[in-house]
Amino acid sequence: ITIPDSVTSIGESAFYGCTSLTTITIPDSVTSIGESAFYGCTSLTTITIPDSVTSIGESAFYGCSGLDSVTISGNITNIGKNAFYGTPWIEAQRKENSLIIVNGTLIDGTACEGDIVIPDGVTSIGNYAFDGCSGLTSVIIPDSVTSIGDYAFSFCGNLTSIEIPESVTGIGDYAFRNCSGLTSITIPDSVTSIGDSAFYACGLTSVTISDGITSIGKSVFEGCSSLTEITIPDSVTGIGDFAFYDCEKLTSITIPKSVKSIGKSAFDDCEKLTSITIKNPECKIDDSANTIYYDATIYGYAGSPAEDYAEEYERKFVDLSIDLSCDITGDGIISVSDATAVLNAYTIINSGKKSPLTADQEKLADVDNDGKITGSDATLILRYCTKLSSLLVGEKVPSFKEWFESVNTD
């Protein structure tokens, strides 16, 4: 078959199951080959893809059991999942090298095992490149790579380490989905976009997000049940639907002033979330009871959407404009972390060593104003935290000074 020059694309399933097709000539007018276009063409033995073609769809040549010769143009930028699955050509490529690279794009590494170093010159890791590669344990990506495709490392359950270089600017949808062995990752400043569900159900315990990220998309960290700590940079302006849904070990989070909106169920089912600090007094929160876990105390500003949300859905609310004179850690809230910092300083000072606190922190740490840092200062902060946690919804939150004066009076 010779496809006429008037054709610009070969559509989805165009020659699906044409078992008698032996040869086909694709003209320079064609720019894309659709999903399953030649699926199951078992008699097709050779194919030349012209320079005009830039994308080959998922399963395009799936099951072409006679296809042993493939010539691919230098302009291909996207090759879909299983595009050549079940062909002699792809099997021959795997025997030659477990990393199959076409025009700078790593399209298949599913046969890899152990520790992998991707060679210099690769510019992108294609969609589904390592999808389901259970033998993969670690990956070093060269600084020639600029993008990590959709599902690139999804279901790599034994992947424990990956180094993302400063050259990478984008991480695709579901890129690291269900990488249950991946416990930590650093996203460099070069990355400006993270796809939906990129780290869905990963084993992450901590995440460092780059300053280049402007939004945390839908379900990016959903189901990361081991995640205990994450810092959101000031560059982020929006948190998407289900972004941290079911992060059951996340205990507290601070939303910077740059964030303008929090999406539906963003912090739902975060069973251990005790506090969420929203620093932007104009930050909009999705109008649903499930947006923020019911047991979390919301720290925000009086008259803000955060306070409105707390009132509407009966959440505890603490006004950030109240006196925070014992906020030792400087995170905008008074918590057990402040008491821990004071107790740690007291222990070190009492051992004859130099205080780990700055001069300003030492002034804050001496909460009873007796001129020294002692264990009783830490105890007072803990008692104040207990008071805050015992407040009923709608009950006025006393400042530390107000509370301290009241207990001294009592």
Side-chain angles (χ1 to χ4, degrees):
I1 292 178
T2 299
I3 297 175
D5 291 339
S6 57
V7 174
T8 58
S9 66
I10 299 173
E12 182 178 330
S13 303
F15 295 93
Y16 187 102
C18 291
T19 56
S20 299
L21 181 66
T22 56
T23 62
I24 190 162
T25 301
I26 301 174
D28 289 340
S29 56
V30 171
T31 59
S32 64
I33 297 173
E35 183 177 325
S36 302
F38 295 94
Y39 188 108
C41 294
T42 54
S43 298
L44 188 64
T45 59
T46 182
I47 190 82
T48 298
I49 299 169
D51 288 343
S52 55
V53 174
T54 58
S55 68
I56 299 173
E58 184 173 326
S59 302
F61 296 92
Y62 189 108
C64 293
S65 56
L67 188 61
D68 58 14
S69 176
V70 177
T71 302
I72 300 178
S73 79
N75 295 317
I76 291 286
T77 56
N78 180 50
I79 297 177
K81 181 182 181 183
N82 293 327
F84 295 95
Y85 185 87
T87 67
W89 177 78
I90 197 73
E91 293 305 323
Q93 299 299 309
R94 283 177 179 154
K95 287 179 180 178
E96 185 177 327
N97 192 328
S98 58
L99 297 175
I100 301 175
I101 300 165
V102 175
N103 302 327
T105 298
L106 198 162
I107 67 167
D108 191 300
T110 54
C112 291
E113 291 186 350
D115 303 335
I116 298 298
V117 177
I118 297 172
D120 290 335
V122 172
T123 56
S124 65
I125 298 172
N127 297 341
Y128 299 94
F130 293 92
D131 179 40
C133 189
S134 59
L136 188 65
T137 56
S138 72
V139 180
I140 295 177
I141 301 173
D143 57 14
S144 55
V145 171
T146 59
S147 64
I148 297 173
D150 299 344
Y151 298 90
F153 295 95
S154 62
F155 292 96
C156 292
N158 291 310
L159 179 65
T160 59
S161 173
I162 188 160
E163 295 180 16
I164 300 176
E166 290 282 352
S167 56
V168 172
T169 59
I171 297 173
D173 296 344
Y174 298 95
F176 295 93
R177 178 180 181 177
N178 289 89
C179 289
S180 55
L182 192 63
T183 58
S184 66
I185 194 163
T186 297
I187 301 167
D189 290 346
S190 57
V191 175
T192 57
S193 66
I194 301 175
D196 292 347
S197 302
F199 297 97
Y200 182 98
C202 277
L204 296 171
T205 58
S206 64
V207 180
T208 301
I209 301 178
S210 74
D211 289 336
I213 297 297
T214 57
S215 68
I216 297 174
K218 182 179 179 180
S219 300
V220 169
F221 296 102
E222 179 179 346
C224 290
S225 57
S226 297
L227 186 64
T228 59
E229 181 181 358
I230 187 164
T231 301
I232 300 175
D234 291 338
S235 56
V236 172
T237 59
I239 296 174
D241 297 347
F242 302 95
F244 295 93
Y245 181 90
D246 197 26
C247 290
E248 59 184 38
K249 290 187 178 179
L250 190 65
T251 57
S252 66
I253 193 162
T254 297
I255 313 299
K257 195 172 182 179
S258 57
V259 174
K260 298 177 181 178
S261 63
I262 299 173
K264 180 174 65 177
S265 295
F267 297 96
D268 190 20
D269 270 6
C270 295
E271 296 178 358
K272 293 189 176 179
L273 187 66
T274 58
S275 70
I276 178 168
T277 302
I278 302 172
K279 291 192 171 182
N280 181 0
E282 297 179 357
C283 179
K284 296 179 180 179
I285 303 172
D286 182 78
D287 191 11
S288 166
N290 296 327
T291 300
I292 297 173
Y293 188 62
Y294 73 89
D295 215 19
T297 297
I298 299 173
Y299 289 77
Y301 289 97
S304 69
E307 184 180 34
D308 293 341
Y309 180 91
E311 289 180 358
E312 182 174 358
Y313 296 108
E314 300 184 339
R315 303 293 197 271
K316 294 178 183 178
F317 179 80
V318 176
D319 183 3
L320 284 175
S321 62
I322 67 170
D323 173 33
L324 294 174
S325 57
C326 54
D327 177 21
I328 316 301
T329 61
D331 60 359
I333 62 174
I334 299 172
S335 66
V336 173
S337 296
D338 298 300
T340 302
V342 173
L343 187 60
N344 179 57
Y346 165 65
T347 302
I348 292 173
I349 293 169
N350 206 40
S351 69
K353 297 179 181 179
K354 183 180 178 182
S355 170
L357 302 178
T358 66
D360 288 339
Q361 286 176 319
E362 287 185 353
K363 290 178 182 178
L364 295 176
D366 179 19
V367 296
D368 58 7
N369 297 312
D370 65 355
K372 55 187 177 181
I373 298 173
T374 65
S376 60
D377 293 306
T379 300
L380 283 168
I381 296 175
L382 281 175
R383 288 177 61 192
Y384 179 62
C385 292
T386 301
K387 173 63 178 178
L388 293 183
S389 64
S390 67
L391 291 174
L392 299 176
V393 174
E395 188 175 352
K396 182 180 183 298
V397 178
S399 67
F400 179 82
K401 182 179 180 181
E402 290 170 335
W403 171 81
F404 183 62
E405 289 175 350
S406 69
V407 295
N408 276 346
T409 300
D410 295 340

